[in-house]
Amino acid sequence: MLDFSSLLLAAALSGTCLSITMLAIWFTAPRARFVLTVACGILVLVAHVVLFWQYTKEPNPWLCQAVLALLSLGFLIICLSAMQYLGVGNQGSVVVPTVTAMAACALVTYLGFDGVGFIITYTTVTALLAVIGVMFWTKGGHDRRILLVVSFLSGTCAVSFALCGAMLAIHGQWVLGVAPDNWAERLNTVVAVACMTGLGALTLSLHHLQAQIELKAETLTDPLTGLMNRRALNSLYGERAFGPFMAVVMFDLDHFKRTNDLFGHPVGDKVLCRFAAIIRKYGRNGVDAFRLGGEEFALVISRMTEEKAYDLASKIGVAFGAEVVPTPRGPLRSTVSGGIGFGAAGGSSLDEVLAEADKALYAAKHAGRNRVLVLDKESKAGGPALRSA
Protein backbone atom coordinates (compact mmCIF):
# COMPACT_ATOMS: atom_id res chain seq x y z
CA MET A 1 0.00 0.00 0.00
CA LEU A 2 1.26 3.52 -0.85
CA ASP A 3 2.51 5.56 2.08
CA PHE A 4 1.77 9.26 2.56
CA SER A 5 5.01 10.38 0.85
CA SER A 6 4.27 8.24 -2.19
CA LEU A 7 0.80 9.76 -2.48
CA LEU A 8 2.28 13.26 -2.41
CA LEU A 9 4.83 12.41 -5.09
CA ALA A 10 2.08 10.84 -7.21
CA ALA A 11 0.08 14.06 -6.90
CA ALA A 12 3.10 16.12 -7.97
CA LEU A 13 3.79 13.87 -10.97
CA SER A 14 0.15 13.90 -12.06
CA GLY A 15 -0.04 17.68 -11.80
CA THR A 16 3.20 18.15 -13.72
CA CYS A 17 2.02 15.96 -16.59
CA LEU A 18 -1.30 17.82 -16.71
CA SER A 19 0.31 21.24 -16.78
CA ILE A 20 2.77 20.22 -19.52
CA THR A 21 -0.12 18.91 -21.63
CA MET A 22 -2.09 22.13 -21.16
CA LEU A 23 0.91 24.31 -21.96
CA ALA A 24 1.41 22.35 -25.17
CA ILE A 25 -2.24 22.92 -26.08
CA TRP A 26 -1.97 26.63 -25.31
CA PHE A 27 1.08 26.98 -27.57
CA THR A 28 -0.96 25.58 -30.46
CA ALA A 29 -4.03 27.69 -29.58
CA PRO A 30 -2.90 30.92 -27.84
CA ARG A 31 -6.46 32.29 -27.84
CA ALA A 32 -7.42 29.67 -25.24
CA ARG A 33 -6.02 31.77 -22.41
CA PHE A 34 -7.96 29.94 -19.72
CA VAL A 35 -5.94 26.78 -20.55
CA LEU A 36 -2.72 28.69 -19.81
CA THR A 37 -4.20 29.95 -16.55
CA VAL A 38 -5.19 26.41 -15.50
CA ALA A 39 -1.68 25.18 -16.33
CA CYS A 40 -0.14 27.94 -14.19
CA GLY A 41 -2.47 27.13 -11.30
CA ILE A 42 -1.59 23.44 -11.43
CA LEU A 43 2.14 24.25 -11.52
CA VAL A 44 1.70 26.34 -8.36
CA LEU A 45 -0.07 23.39 -6.73
CA VAL A 46 2.76 21.08 -7.82
CA ALA A 47 5.20 23.44 -6.09
CA HIS A 48 2.95 23.28 -3.00
CA VAL A 49 2.99 19.48 -3.00
CA VAL A 50 6.77 19.32 -3.38
CA LEU A 51 7.29 21.80 -0.51
CA PHE A 52 4.69 20.01 1.62
CA TRP A 53 6.56 16.73 1.08
CA GLN A 54 9.73 18.51 2.20
CA TYR A 55 7.83 19.97 5.17
CA THR A 56 6.81 16.48 6.29
CA LYS A 57 10.53 15.61 6.45
CA GLU A 58 11.97 18.85 7.90
CA PRO A 59 9.23 21.10 9.35
CA ASN A 60 10.01 24.78 9.95
CA PRO A 61 7.79 27.88 10.24
CA TRP A 62 8.94 29.59 7.03
CA LEU A 63 8.43 26.47 4.95
CA CYS A 64 4.98 26.10 6.51
CA GLN A 65 4.02 29.61 5.41
CA ALA A 66 5.21 28.92 1.86
CA VAL A 67 3.27 25.65 1.74
CA LEU A 68 0.01 27.27 2.85
CA ALA A 69 0.43 30.33 0.62
CA LEU A 70 1.03 28.18 -2.49
CA LEU A 71 -2.03 26.05 -1.76
CA SER A 72 -4.35 29.06 -1.60
CA LEU A 73 -2.66 30.76 -4.56
CA GLY A 74 -2.89 27.67 -6.77
CA PHE A 75 -6.61 27.24 -6.26
CA LEU A 76 -7.15 30.99 -6.62
CA ILE A 77 -5.53 30.85 -10.08
CA ILE A 78 -7.67 27.85 -11.05
CA CYS A 79 -10.77 29.74 -9.88
CA LEU A 80 -9.72 32.71 -12.04
CA SER A 81 -9.31 30.37 -15.01
CA ALA A 82 -12.90 29.20 -14.51
CA MET A 83 -14.03 32.83 -14.50
CA GLN A 84 -12.07 33.40 -17.71
CA TYR A 85 -13.72 30.46 -19.43
CA LEU A 86 -17.22 31.37 -18.32
CA GLY A 87 -16.76 35.10 -18.98
CA VAL A 88 -17.46 36.02 -15.38
CA GLY A 89 -16.16 39.48 -14.45
CA ASN A 90 -15.46 41.12 -11.11
CA GLN A 91 -12.46 38.91 -10.34
CA GLY A 92 -11.68 41.17 -7.40
CA SER A 93 -14.59 39.60 -5.52
CA VAL A 94 -12.54 36.39 -5.38
CA VAL A 95 -9.01 37.81 -5.28
CA VAL A 96 -9.52 40.22 -2.36
CA PRO A 97 -11.01 37.70 0.13
CA THR A 98 -8.41 35.08 -0.83
CA VAL A 99 -5.48 37.46 -0.41
CA THR A 100 -6.96 38.63 2.90
CA ALA A 101 -7.20 35.02 4.10
CA MET A 102 -3.61 34.37 2.96
CA ALA A 103 -2.41 37.40 4.96
CA ALA A 104 -4.32 36.23 8.05
CA CYS A 105 -2.85 32.75 7.64
CA ALA A 106 0.68 34.16 7.37
CA LEU A 107 0.13 36.24 10.54
CA VAL A 108 -1.19 33.43 12.75
CA THR A 109 1.46 31.03 11.45
CA TYR A 110 4.17 33.58 12.21
CA LEU A 111 2.78 33.84 15.74
CA GLY A 112 3.16 30.07 16.12
CA PHE A 113 -0.44 28.95 15.53
CA ASP A 114 0.33 26.88 12.45
CA GLY A 115 -2.70 24.67 13.08
CA VAL A 116 -4.95 27.73 12.77
CA GLY A 117 -3.07 28.62 9.59
CA PHE A 118 -3.90 25.21 8.11
CA ILE A 119 -7.56 25.62 9.10
CA ILE A 120 -7.74 29.06 7.45
CA THR A 121 -6.10 27.73 4.30
CA TYR A 122 -8.34 24.66 4.08
CA THR A 123 -11.38 26.90 4.55
CA THR A 124 -10.17 29.24 1.81
CA VAL A 125 -9.58 26.37 -0.63
CA THR A 126 -12.98 24.88 0.21
CA ALA A 127 -14.62 28.22 -0.59
CA LEU A 128 -12.71 28.59 -3.87
CA LEU A 129 -13.66 25.10 -5.01
CA ALA A 130 -17.28 25.75 -4.05
CA VAL A 131 -17.24 28.93 -6.09
CA ILE A 132 -15.87 27.01 -9.10
CA GLY A 133 -18.59 24.38 -8.79
CA VAL A 134 -21.37 26.94 -8.44
CA MET A 135 -20.10 29.03 -11.38
CA PHE A 136 -19.97 26.06 -13.74
CA TRP A 137 -23.41 24.92 -12.65
CA THR A 138 -25.14 28.29 -12.86
CA LYS A 139 -23.17 30.28 -15.47
CA GLY A 140 -22.27 27.67 -18.05
CA GLY A 141 -24.23 27.62 -21.28
CA HIS A 142 -22.61 24.64 -22.99
CA ASP A 143 -22.91 20.87 -22.56
CA ARG A 144 -24.62 20.44 -19.19
CA ARG A 145 -23.19 16.94 -18.75
CA ILE A 146 -19.63 18.25 -18.75
CA LEU A 147 -20.56 21.10 -16.44
CA LEU A 148 -22.25 18.70 -14.03
CA VAL A 149 -19.09 16.60 -13.79
CA VAL A 150 -16.95 19.72 -13.24
CA SER A 151 -19.27 20.83 -10.46
CA PHE A 152 -19.25 17.34 -8.90
CA LEU A 153 -15.45 17.07 -8.92
CA SER A 154 -15.02 20.57 -7.51
CA GLY A 155 -17.56 19.84 -4.79
CA THR A 156 -15.95 16.51 -3.90
CA CYS A 157 -12.52 18.12 -3.66
CA ALA A 158 -14.00 20.94 -1.55
CA VAL A 159 -15.49 18.42 0.89
CA SER A 160 -12.14 16.67 1.26
CA PHE A 161 -10.40 19.93 2.18
CA ALA A 162 -13.24 20.84 4.53
CA LEU A 163 -12.75 17.51 6.33
CA CYS A 164 -9.06 18.27 6.79
CA GLY A 165 -9.86 21.59 8.45
CA ALA A 166 -12.64 20.05 10.51
CA MET A 167 -10.33 17.35 11.90
CA LEU A 168 -7.86 19.97 13.13
CA ALA A 169 -10.61 22.11 14.66
CA ILE A 170 -12.40 19.19 16.33
CA HIS A 171 -9.21 18.01 18.01
CA GLY A 172 -8.18 21.55 18.93
CA GLN A 173 -4.88 21.30 17.09
CA TRP A 174 -4.16 25.02 17.01
CA VAL A 175 -0.42 24.46 17.25
CA LEU A 176 1.16 21.57 15.32
CA GLY A 177 4.86 22.11 14.71
CA VAL A 178 4.73 19.36 12.09
CA ALA A 179 2.66 18.55 8.99
CA PRO A 180 -0.83 17.31 9.87
CA ASP A 181 -1.22 13.57 9.32
CA ASN A 182 -4.58 11.88 9.78
CA TRP A 183 -7.15 9.93 7.78
CA ALA A 184 -8.64 13.14 6.37
CA GLU A 185 -5.25 14.28 5.07
CA ARG A 186 -4.63 10.93 3.39
CA LEU A 187 -8.13 10.87 1.93
CA ASN A 188 -7.67 14.44 0.71
CA THR A 189 -4.46 13.52 -1.10
CA VAL A 190 -6.16 10.66 -2.95
CA VAL A 191 -9.27 12.71 -3.74
CA ALA A 192 -7.22 15.73 -4.84
CA VAL A 193 -5.13 13.62 -7.25
CA ALA A 194 -8.25 12.02 -8.73
CA CYS A 195 -10.21 15.27 -8.95
CA MET A 196 -7.35 17.32 -10.39
CA THR A 197 -6.71 14.62 -13.00
CA GLY A 198 -10.40 14.60 -13.87
CA LEU A 199 -10.59 18.39 -13.97
CA GLY A 200 -7.53 18.46 -16.22
CA ALA A 201 -9.16 16.05 -18.66
CA LEU A 202 -12.37 18.08 -18.56
CA THR A 203 -10.39 21.26 -19.21
CA LEU A 204 -9.21 19.67 -22.45
CA SER A 205 -12.83 18.78 -23.28
CA LEU A 206 -13.97 22.33 -22.52
CA HIS A 207 -11.18 23.70 -24.70
CA HIS A 208 -12.32 21.47 -27.56
CA LEU A 209 -15.93 22.54 -26.99
CA GLN A 210 -14.98 26.21 -26.95
CA ALA A 211 -12.97 25.78 -30.16
CA GLN A 212 -16.02 24.24 -31.84
CA ILE A 213 -18.25 27.09 -30.66
CA GLU A 214 -15.78 29.72 -31.90
CA LEU A 215 -15.44 27.96 -35.26
CA LYS A 216 -19.22 27.84 -35.64
CA ALA A 217 -19.48 31.52 -34.70
CA GLU A 218 -16.86 32.39 -37.32
CA THR A 219 -18.75 30.51 -40.04
CA LEU A 220 -21.96 32.36 -39.14
CA THR A 221 -20.43 35.85 -38.82
CA ASP A 222 -19.52 38.43 -41.45
CA PRO A 223 -15.84 39.25 -40.78
CA LEU A 224 -16.10 42.92 -41.85
CA THR A 225 -19.17 44.13 -39.98
CA GLY A 226 -19.48 41.50 -37.26
CA LEU A 227 -23.12 40.92 -38.18
CA MET A 228 -24.49 37.46 -38.86
CA ASN A 229 -24.23 36.27 -42.46
CA ARG A 230 -26.57 34.58 -44.94
CA ARG A 231 -25.68 31.15 -43.61
CA ALA A 232 -26.76 32.26 -40.15
CA LEU A 233 -30.03 33.60 -41.56
CA ASN A 234 -30.81 30.23 -43.13
CA SER A 235 -29.69 28.39 -40.01
CA LEU A 236 -31.87 30.44 -37.66
CA TYR A 237 -34.94 31.02 -39.83
CA GLY A 238 -34.78 28.54 -42.72
CA GLU A 239 -37.28 26.21 -41.08
CA ARG A 240 -39.36 28.87 -39.33
CA ALA A 241 -42.91 29.77 -40.30
CA PHE A 242 -43.31 33.57 -40.49
CA GLY A 243 -46.57 34.69 -38.92
CA PRO A 244 -48.32 38.06 -39.19
CA PHE A 245 -46.13 39.63 -36.51
CA MET A 246 -42.86 38.68 -38.22
CA ALA A 247 -41.16 40.58 -41.01
CA VAL A 248 -37.98 40.72 -43.06
CA VAL A 249 -36.50 44.07 -44.10
CA MET A 250 -34.12 44.00 -47.07
CA PHE A 251 -31.68 46.94 -47.20
CA ASP A 252 -29.44 47.89 -50.11
CA LEU A 253 -27.00 50.81 -49.94
CA ASP A 254 -27.68 53.28 -52.74
CA HIS A 255 -25.02 53.79 -55.45
CA PHE A 256 -22.53 51.72 -53.48
CA LYS A 257 -20.57 50.71 -56.57
CA ARG A 258 -20.06 54.38 -57.37
CA THR A 259 -18.86 54.95 -53.78
CA ASN A 260 -16.21 52.26 -54.24
CA ASP A 261 -15.19 53.61 -57.65
CA LEU A 262 -14.86 57.24 -56.53
CA PHE A 263 -13.57 56.87 -52.96
CA GLY A 264 -11.96 53.42 -52.96
CA HIS A 265 -12.83 50.13 -51.27
CA PRO A 266 -11.44 51.09 -47.83
CA VAL A 267 -13.96 53.94 -47.69
CA GLY A 268 -16.65 51.59 -48.94
CA ASP A 269 -15.83 49.23 -46.08
CA LYS A 270 -16.21 52.12 -43.62
CA VAL A 271 -19.64 52.88 -45.07
CA LEU A 272 -20.69 49.25 -44.65
CA CYS A 273 -19.48 49.25 -41.04
CA ARG A 274 -21.32 52.51 -40.32
CA PHE A 275 -24.56 50.99 -41.57
CA ALA A 276 -23.95 47.86 -39.47
CA ALA A 277 -23.42 50.10 -36.43
CA ILE A 278 -26.74 51.87 -37.12
CA ILE A 279 -28.55 48.53 -37.26
CA ARG A 280 -27.01 47.51 -33.94
CA LYS A 281 -28.01 50.82 -32.40
CA TYR A 282 -31.65 50.18 -33.20
CA GLY A 283 -31.46 46.51 -32.31
CA ARG A 284 -33.57 45.03 -29.53
CA ASN A 285 -35.01 41.67 -28.46
CA GLY A 286 -36.69 40.06 -31.41
CA VAL A 287 -34.58 41.90 -34.01
CA ASP A 288 -31.72 40.05 -35.75
CA ALA A 289 -29.44 41.75 -38.28
CA PHE A 290 -27.56 40.08 -41.14
CA ARG A 291 -25.20 41.09 -43.92
CA LEU A 292 -26.19 38.98 -46.89
CA GLY A 293 -23.24 40.01 -49.06
CA GLY A 294 -21.86 43.12 -50.75
CA GLU A 295 -24.02 46.10 -49.83
CA GLU A 296 -27.10 43.98 -49.06
CA PHE A 297 -28.38 43.60 -45.51
CA ALA A 298 -31.43 42.02 -43.89
CA LEU A 299 -33.32 42.53 -40.67
CA VAL A 300 -35.61 39.85 -39.23
CA ILE A 301 -38.21 41.34 -36.91
CA SER A 302 -40.35 39.30 -34.54
CA ARG A 303 -43.28 40.21 -32.28
CA MET A 304 -43.93 43.55 -33.97
CA THR A 305 -46.87 45.02 -35.89
CA GLU A 306 -46.50 46.11 -39.53
CA GLU A 307 -46.60 49.78 -38.53
CA LYS A 308 -43.87 49.42 -35.92
CA ALA A 309 -41.71 47.33 -38.23
CA TYR A 310 -41.97 49.99 -40.91
CA ASP A 311 -41.22 52.71 -38.36
CA LEU A 312 -38.08 50.86 -37.20
CA ALA A 313 -36.83 50.35 -40.77
CA SER A 314 -37.50 54.02 -41.60
CA LYS A 315 -35.58 55.23 -38.54
CA ILE A 316 -32.60 53.12 -39.60
CA GLY A 317 -32.70 54.68 -43.07
CA VAL A 318 -32.93 58.23 -41.70
CA ALA A 319 -30.14 57.64 -39.17
CA PHE A 320 -27.85 56.24 -41.86
CA GLY A 321 -28.57 59.18 -44.15
CA ALA A 322 -27.34 61.52 -41.41
CA GLU A 323 -24.01 59.70 -41.07
CA VAL A 324 -20.91 61.41 -42.47
CA VAL A 325 -17.82 59.42 -43.42
CA PRO A 326 -14.67 61.56 -43.74
CA THR A 327 -12.61 60.82 -46.86
CA PRO A 328 -9.60 62.42 -48.61
CA ARG A 329 -12.07 63.78 -51.19
CA GLY A 330 -14.28 65.36 -48.54
CA PRO A 331 -17.19 64.24 -46.36
CA LEU A 332 -19.33 61.42 -47.74
CA ARG A 333 -23.02 60.90 -47.07
CA SER A 334 -24.79 57.76 -48.19
CA THR A 335 -28.37 56.59 -48.29
CA VAL A 336 -30.09 53.23 -48.20
CA SER A 337 -33.24 51.77 -49.72
CA GLY A 338 -35.39 49.18 -48.00
CA GLY A 339 -38.22 46.81 -48.70
CA ILE A 340 -40.32 44.94 -46.15
CA GLY A 341 -41.95 41.53 -46.46
CA PHE A 342 -44.39 40.24 -43.85
CA GLY A 343 -45.44 36.79 -42.76
CA ALA A 344 -49.00 35.51 -43.10
CA ALA A 345 -51.58 34.18 -40.68
CA GLY A 346 -51.16 30.71 -42.17
CA GLY A 347 -47.37 30.94 -41.98
CA SER A 348 -44.92 31.89 -44.74
CA SER A 349 -41.49 30.46 -45.45
CA LEU A 350 -38.29 32.48 -45.25
CA ASP A 351 -37.92 32.35 -49.02
CA GLU A 352 -41.44 33.69 -49.52
CA VAL A 353 -40.94 36.61 -47.13
CA LEU A 354 -37.51 37.37 -48.61
CA ALA A 355 -38.99 37.40 -52.11
CA GLU A 356 -41.68 39.85 -50.99
CA ALA A 357 -39.10 42.09 -49.29
CA ASP A 358 -36.85 41.94 -52.34
CA LYS A 359 -39.72 42.95 -54.60
CA ALA A 360 -40.49 45.93 -52.33
CA LEU A 361 -36.78 46.85 -52.30
CA TYR A 362 -36.64 46.81 -56.10
CA ALA A 363 -39.66 49.11 -56.15
CA ALA A 364 -37.95 51.47 -53.67
CA LYS A 365 -34.90 51.64 -55.93
CA HIS A 366 -37.08 52.25 -58.97
CA ALA A 367 -39.01 55.00 -57.13
CA GLY A 368 -35.89 57.07 -56.53
CA ARG A 369 -34.02 55.31 -53.69
CA ASN A 370 -33.50 56.57 -50.11
CA ARG A 371 -36.83 55.19 -48.89
CA VAL A 372 -38.50 52.12 -47.38
CA LEU A 373 -41.49 50.58 -49.17
CA VAL A 374 -44.01 47.87 -48.34
CA LEU A 375 -46.02 45.88 -50.85
CA ASP A 376 -49.77 46.19 -50.38
CA LYS A 377 -52.19 43.34 -50.99
CA GLU A 378 -52.62 44.14 -54.69
CA SER A 379 -48.87 44.14 -55.23
CA LYS A 380 -48.55 40.76 -53.52
CA ALA A 381 -51.10 39.43 -55.95
CA GLY A 382 -49.14 40.74 -58.90
CA GLY A 383 -50.45 44.31 -59.23
CA PRO A 384 -48.36 47.47 -59.32
CA ALA A 385 -49.57 49.11 -56.11
CA LEU A 386 -47.11 50.03 -53.32
CA ARG A 387 -47.35 51.90 -50.08
CA SER A 388 -44.88 53.66 -47.82
CA ALA A 389 -46.48 52.50 -44.61
Side-chain angles (χ1 to χ4, degrees):
M1 184 176 179
L2 291 175
D3 59 18
F4 192 37
S5 295
S6 298
L7 288 173
L8 291 175
L9 293 177
L13 179 61
S14 174
T16 301
C17 293
L18 273 175
S19 60
I20 291 174
T21 302
M22 292 179 187
L23 286 172
I25 291 175
W26 176 75
F27 276 118
T28 61
R31 291 175 60 184
R33 300 175 69 178
F34 83 98
V35 176
L36 173 63
T37 309
V38 173
C40 292
I42 292 177
L43 283 175
V44 172
L45 291 177
V46 168
H48 155 77
V49 171
V50 172
L51 290 183
F52 187 73
W53 174 78
Q54 180 65 28
Y55 183 65
T56 61
K57 305 296 182 183
E58 300 175 8
N60 71 75
W62 295 109
L63 191 56
C64 179
Q65 290 199 28
V67 165
L68 296 178
L70 287 175
L71 183 60
S72 294
L73 180 61
F75 279 102
L76 171 61
I77 295 174
I78 290 177
C79 185
L80 294 177
S81 73
M83 298 177 78
Q84 271 186 324
Y85 178 77
L86 297 172
V88 178
N90 193 21
Q91 296 180 343
S93 62
V94 173
V95 173
V96 173
T98 303
V99 172
T100 302
M102 290 171 65
C105 175
L107 176 61
V108 297
T109 305
Y110 174 77
L111 295 175
F113 296 95
D114 55 339
V116 177
F118 273 96
I119 293 173
I120 293 174
T121 300
Y122 289 148
T123 302
T124 302
V125 171
T126 300
L128 288 170
L129 285 166
V131 168
I132 293 172
V134 171
M135 283 194 302
F136 270 96
W137 182 244
T138 60
K139 302 292 184 182
H142 308 319
D143 194 324
R144 300 300 300 179
R145 293 169 295 181
I146 295 178
L147 301 181
L148 175 61
V149 176
V150 172
S151 297
F152 173 76
L153 290 177
S154 298
T156 302
C157 201
V159 170
S160 70
F161 277 103
L163 288 174
C164 291
M167 285 296 296
L168 296 177
I170 290 172
H171 292 94
Q173 294 179 295
W174 316 123
V175 179
L176 295 172
V178 295
D181 186 8
N182 51 56
W183 67 267
E185 291 286 342
R186 295 172 183 271
L187 176 64
N188 171 258
T189 303
V190 175
V191 170
V193 171
C195 289
M196 293 309 297
T197 302
L199 287 172
L202 287 172
T203 298
L204 303 183
S205 298
L206 290 172
H207 165 64
H208 179 66
L209 181 61
Q210 186 181 54
Q212 286 184 317
I213 292 171
E214 290 177 352
L215 179 61
K216 183 178 180 181
E218 289 176 359
T219 62
L220 299 178
T221 303
D222 172 55
L224 177 62
T225 63
L227 297 178
M228 290 182 284
N229 58 20
R230 185 182 290 273
R231 179 179 296 178
L233 174 63
N234 290 325
S235 176
L236 292 174
Y237 293 99
E239 304 298 325
R240 290 280 296 274
F242 283 70
F245 294 100
M246 293 187 68
V248 173
V249 185
M250 293 277 289
F251 289 109
D252 191 275
L253 274 59
D254 297 329
H255 303 298
F256 187 71
K257 183 179 183 303
R258 187 168 67 186
T259 298
N260 279 333
D261 292 342
L262 291 177
F263 297 92
H265 287 278
V267 172
D269 289 346
K270 288 183 181 179
V271 173
L272 292 171
C273 290
R274 287 290 182 90
F275 184 70
I278 292 294
I279 287 182
R280 287 196 189 90
K281 181 180 177 181
Y282 284 88
R284 64 191 70 176
N285 290 334
V287 178
D288 290 323
F290 305 84
R291 183 189 177 199
L292 303 184
E295 67 272 29
E296 198 171 52
F297 295 78
L299 205 65
V300 177
I301 302 173
S302 305
R303 301 186 299 275
M304 198 175 293
T305 63
E306 292 189 10
E307 291 75 13
K308 289 186 177 180
Y310 174 82
D311 184 56
L312 176 63
S314 298
K315 286 180 178 179
I316 290 173
V318 171
F320 180 63
E323 286 286 309
V324 177
V325 177
T327 74
R329 298 170 63 96
L332 170 64
R333 290 181 182 271
S334 302
T335 59
V336 64
S337 300
I340 307 181
F342 294 98
S348 302
S349 68
L350 173 63
D351 288 340
E352 290 172 336
V353 181
L354 279 174
E356 180 183 329
D358 192 56
K359 187 175 180 181
L361 173 61
Y362 176 80
K365 291 281 191 181
H366 187 71
R369 296 183 172 85
N370 191 23
R371 65 197 65 204
V372 176
L373 293 183
V374 182
L375 295 177
D376 64 13
K377 294 180 181 179
E378 293 184 25
S379 295
K380 293 179 184 181
L386 292 159
R387 60 189 176 91
S388 296

